[in-house]
Coordinates of all heavy atoms in Angstrom, one line a residue:
K3 N 94.5 90.9 123.0 CA 94.9 89.5 122.6 C 96.4 89.5 122.4 O 96.9 90.1 121.5 CB 94.1 89.2 121.3 CG 92.6 89.2 121.5 CD 91.9 88.9 120.2 CE 90.4 88.9 120.4 NZ 89.7 88.8 119.2
K4 N 97.1 88.7 123.2 CA 98.5 88.5 123.1 C 98.8 87.3 122.3 O 98.2 86.3 122.4 CB 99.2 88.5 124.5 CG 99.1 89.8 125.2 CD 100.1 89.8 126.3 CE 100.1 91.2 127.0 NZ 101.2 91.3 128.0
D5 N 99.8 87.5 121.4 CA 100.1 86.4 120.5 C 101.4 85.8 121.0 O 102.4 86.5 121.2 CB 100.4 87.0 119.1 CG 100.5 86.0 118.0 OD1 101.1 84.9 118.3 OD2 100.1 86.2 116.9
P6 N 101.4 84.4 121.2 CA 102.6 83.8 121.7 C 103.8 83.9 120.7 O 105.0 83.8 121.1 CB 102.2 82.3 121.9 CG 100.9 82.2 121.2 CD 100.3 83.5 121.1
R7 N 103.5 84.2 119.4 CA 104.6 84.4 118.5 C 105.4 85.7 118.8 O 106.6 85.7 118.5 CB 104.1 84.4 117.1 CG 103.4 83.1 116.6 CD 102.8 83.2 115.3 NE 101.8 84.2 115.3 CZ 101.3 84.8 114.2 NH1 101.6 84.4 113.0 NH2 100.3 85.7 114.3
V8 N 104.7 86.6 119.3 CA 105.4 87.9 119.7 C 106.3 87.6 120.9 O 107.4 88.2 121.0 CB 104.3 89.0 120.0 CG1 105.0 90.3 120.5 CG2 103.6 89.3 118.7
D9 N 105.8 86.8 121.9 CA 106.6 86.4 123.0 C 107.9 85.8 122.5 O 109.0 86.1 123.0 CB 105.9 85.4 123.9 CG 104.7 86.1 124.6 OD1 104.8 87.3 125.0 OD2 103.7 85.4 124.8
A10 N 107.8 84.8 121.6 CA 108.9 84.1 121.0 C 109.8 85.1 120.3 O 111.1 85.0 120.3 CB 108.5 83.0 120.1
Y11 N 109.3 86.1 119.6 CA 110.0 87.1 118.8 C 110.9 87.9 119.8 O 112.1 88.1 119.6 CB 109.1 88.0 118.0 CG 109.8 89.0 117.1 CD1 110.1 88.6 115.8 CD2 110.2 90.2 117.6 CE1 110.8 89.6 115.0 CE2 110.9 91.1 116.8 CZ 111.1 90.8 115.5 OH 111.8 91.7 114.7
I12 N 110.3 88.3 120.9 CA 111.0 89.1 121.8 C 112.1 88.3 122.5 O 113.2 88.8 122.7 CB 110.0 89.7 122.9 CG1 109.1 90.8 122.2 CG2 110.8 90.4 124.0 CD1 108.0 91.3 123.1
A13 N 111.8 87.1 122.8 CA 112.8 86.2 123.5 C 113.9 85.9 122.6 O 115.1 85.8 123.0 CB 112.1 84.8 123.9
G14 N 113.7 85.9 121.3 CA 114.8 85.6 120.3 C 115.5 86.9 119.9 O 116.5 86.8 119.1
A15 N 115.1 88.0 120.3 CA 115.7 89.3 119.9 C 117.1 89.5 120.7 O 117.3 88.8 121.7 CB 114.8 90.5 120.2
A19 N 117.6 94.7 122.8 CA 116.3 95.0 122.2 C 115.1 94.5 123.2 O 114.0 95.1 123.1 CB 116.1 94.3 120.9
K20 N 115.4 93.5 124.0 CA 114.3 92.9 124.8 C 113.6 93.9 125.6 O 112.4 94.0 125.6 CB 114.8 91.8 125.6 CG 115.2 90.5 124.7 CD 115.8 89.4 125.5 CE 116.2 88.3 124.6 NZ 117.0 87.3 125.3
I22 N 113.4 97.2 125.3 CA 112.7 98.1 124.4 C 111.4 97.6 123.9 O 110.4 98.2 123.9 CB 113.7 98.6 123.2 CG1 114.9 99.2 123.8 CG2 112.9 99.5 122.3 CD1 116.0 99.4 122.7
L23 N 111.5 96.3 123.4 CA 110.3 95.7 122.8 C 109.2 95.5 123.8 O 108.0 95.7 123.6 CB 110.7 94.4 122.1 CG 111.7 94.5 120.9 CD1 112.1 93.1 120.4 CD2 111.1 95.4 119.8
N24 N 109.7 95.0 125.0 CA 108.7 94.8 126.1 C 108.0 96.1 126.5 O 106.8 96.1 126.8 CB 109.4 94.1 127.3 CG 109.5 92.6 127.1 OD1 108.7 92.0 126.6 ND2 110.7 92.1 127.5
R25 N 108.8 97.2 126.6 CA 108.2 98.5 127.0 C 107.2 99.0 125.9 O 106.1 99.4 126.3 CB 109.3 99.5 127.2 CG 108.7 100.9 127.6 CD 109.8 101.8 128.2 NE 109.3 103.1 128.2 CZ 110.0 104.2 128.0 NH1 111.3 104.1 127.7 NH2 109.5 105.4 128.0
I26 N 107.6 98.9 124.7 CA 106.7 99.3 123.6 C 105.4 98.4 123.7 O 104.3 99.0 123.6 CB 107.3 99.1 122.2 CG1 108.5 100.1 122.1 CG2 106.3 99.3 121.1 CD1 109.3 99.9 120.8
R27 N 105.5 97.1 123.9 CA 104.4 96.3 123.9 C 103.4 96.6 125.1 O 102.2 96.7 124.9 CB 104.8 94.8 124.1 CG 103.8 93.8 124.0 CD 104.4 92.4 124.3 NE 103.5 91.3 123.8 CZ 103.7 90.1 124.1 NH1 104.8 89.7 124.8 NH2 102.9 89.1 123.6
K28 N 104.0 96.9 126.2 CA 103.3 97.3 127.4 C 102.5 98.6 127.2 O 101.3 98.7 127.5 CB 104.2 97.5 128.6 CG 103.5 97.9 129.9 CD 104.6 98.1 131.0 CE 104.2 99.3 131.7 NZ 105.3 100.0 132.3
V30 N 101.6 99.9 124.2 CA 100.6 99.7 123.2 C 99.3 99.2 123.8 O 98.2 99.6 123.6 CB 101.1 98.8 122.0 CG1 99.9 98.4 121.1 CG2 102.2 99.5 121.3
H31 N 99.5 98.2 124.7 CA 98.3 97.6 125.4 C 97.7 98.6 126.4 O 96.5 98.5 126.5 CB 98.8 96.3 126.1 CG 98.9 95.1 125.2 ND1 97.8 94.3 124.8 CD2 100.0 94.6 124.6 CE1 98.3 93.4 124.0 NE2 99.6 93.6 123.8
V37 N 93.7 96.0 121.5 CA 94.7 95.8 120.5 C 95.0 94.3 120.3 O 94.9 93.5 121.2 CB 96.0 96.5 120.8 CG1 96.8 95.8 121.9 CG2 96.9 96.6 119.5
E38 N 95.2 93.9 119.0 CA 95.6 92.5 118.7 C 97.0 92.5 118.2 O 97.4 93.4 117.5 CB 94.7 92.0 117.6 CG 93.2 91.8 118.1 CD 92.4 91.2 117.0 OE1 92.9 90.3 116.2 OE2 91.2 91.6 116.8
E39 N 97.7 91.5 118.6 CA 99.1 91.3 118.2 C 99.1 90.3 117.1 O 98.4 89.3 117.0 CB 100.0 90.8 119.3 CG 100.0 91.7 120.5 CD 100.9 91.1 121.6 OE1 101.2 89.9 121.6 OE2 101.2 91.9 122.5
T40 N 100.1 90.5 116.2 CA 100.3 89.5 115.1 C 101.7 89.6 114.6 O 102.4 90.6 115.0 CB 99.3 89.7 114.0 OG1 99.4 88.6 113.1 CG2 99.5 91.0 113.2
I41 N 102.1 88.7 113.7 CA 103.4 88.8 113.1 C 103.1 89.0 111.6 O 102.4 88.3 111.0 CB 104.2 87.5 113.3 CG1 104.5 87.3 114.8 CG2 105.5 87.6 112.5 CD1 105.6 88.2 115.4
K42 N 103.7 90.1 111.0 CA 103.6 90.4 109.6 C 105.0 90.7 109.2 O 105.8 91.4 109.9 CB 102.7 91.6 109.3 CG 101.3 91.3 109.6 CD 100.5 92.6 109.3 CE 99.0 92.4 109.4 NZ 98.4 91.7 108.3
N44 N 107.7 89.2 109.2 CA 108.6 88.7 110.2 C 108.9 89.7 111.4 O 110.0 89.7 111.9 CB 110.0 88.3 109.5 CG 109.8 87.2 108.6 OD1 109.0 86.2 108.9 ND2 110.4 87.2 107.5
A45 N 107.9 90.4 111.7 CA 108.0 91.4 112.8 C 106.7 91.5 113.5 O 105.6 91.3 112.9 CB 108.5 92.8 112.3
P46 N 106.7 91.9 114.8 CA 105.5 92.1 115.6 C 104.7 93.3 115.1 O 105.3 94.4 114.9 CB 105.9 92.3 117.0 CG 107.3 91.7 117.1 CD 107.9 91.9 115.7
F47 N 103.4 93.2 114.9 CA 102.5 94.3 114.5 C 101.4 94.3 115.5 O 101.0 93.3 116.0 CB 101.9 94.1 113.1 CG 102.8 94.5 112.0 CD1 104.0 93.9 111.7 CD2 102.5 95.7 111.3 CE1 104.8 94.3 110.7 CE2 103.3 96.1 110.2 CZ 104.5 95.4 109.9
F48 N 100.9 95.5 115.7 CA 99.8 95.7 116.6 C 98.6 96.3 115.8 O 98.8 97.3 115.1 CB 100.1 96.7 117.8 CG 101.2 96.1 118.7 CD1 102.6 96.4 118.4 CD2 100.9 95.3 119.7 CE1 103.6 95.9 119.2 CE2 101.9 94.7 120.5 CZ 103.2 95.0 120.3
M49 N 97.4 95.6 115.9 CA 96.3 95.9 115.1 C 95.1 96.4 115.9 O 94.8 95.8 117.0 CB 95.9 94.7 114.3 CG 97.0 93.9 113.6 SD 97.4 94.6 112.0 CE 95.9 94.3 111.1
V55 N 101.0 100.0 114.8 CA 102.4 100.1 114.9 C 103.1 98.8 114.6 O 102.4 97.7 114.8 CB 103.0 100.7 116.2 CG1 102.6 102.1 116.4 CG2 102.6 99.8 117.4
A56 N 104.4 98.8 114.3 CA 105.2 97.6 114.1 C 106.4 97.9 115.0 O 106.8 99.0 115.2 CB 105.6 97.4 112.7
M57 N 107.0 96.8 115.4 CA 108.3 96.9 116.2 C 109.3 95.9 115.8 O 109.5 94.9 116.5 CB 108.0 96.9 117.7 CG 107.3 95.7 118.3 SD 107.2 95.8 120.1 CE 107.0 94.0 120.4
P58 N 109.9 96.1 114.7 CA 110.9 95.1 114.2 C 112.2 95.3 115.0 O 112.6 96.4 115.4 CB 111.2 95.5 112.8 CG 110.8 96.9 112.7 CD 109.7 97.1 113.7
A59 N 112.9 94.1 115.2 CA 114.2 94.2 115.9 C 115.3 93.6 114.9 O 115.0 92.7 114.2 CB 114.2 93.3 117.1

Side-chain angles (χ1 to χ4, degrees):
K3 296 181 182 170
K4 290 197 174 186
D5 190 328
R7 297 175 301 166
V8 175
D9 293 324
Y11 185 91
I12 293 171
K20 290 175 185 175
I22 298 169
L23 298 175
N24 280 320
R25 180 165 166 217
I26 292 169
R27 187 183 198 189
K28 179 182 137 209
V30 170
H31 282 276
V37 74
E38 291 182 41
E39 298 179 347
T40 189
I41 299 287
K42 290 179 179 282
N44 296 321
F47 275 70
F48 296 92
M49 313 277 293
V55 294
M57 57 175 203

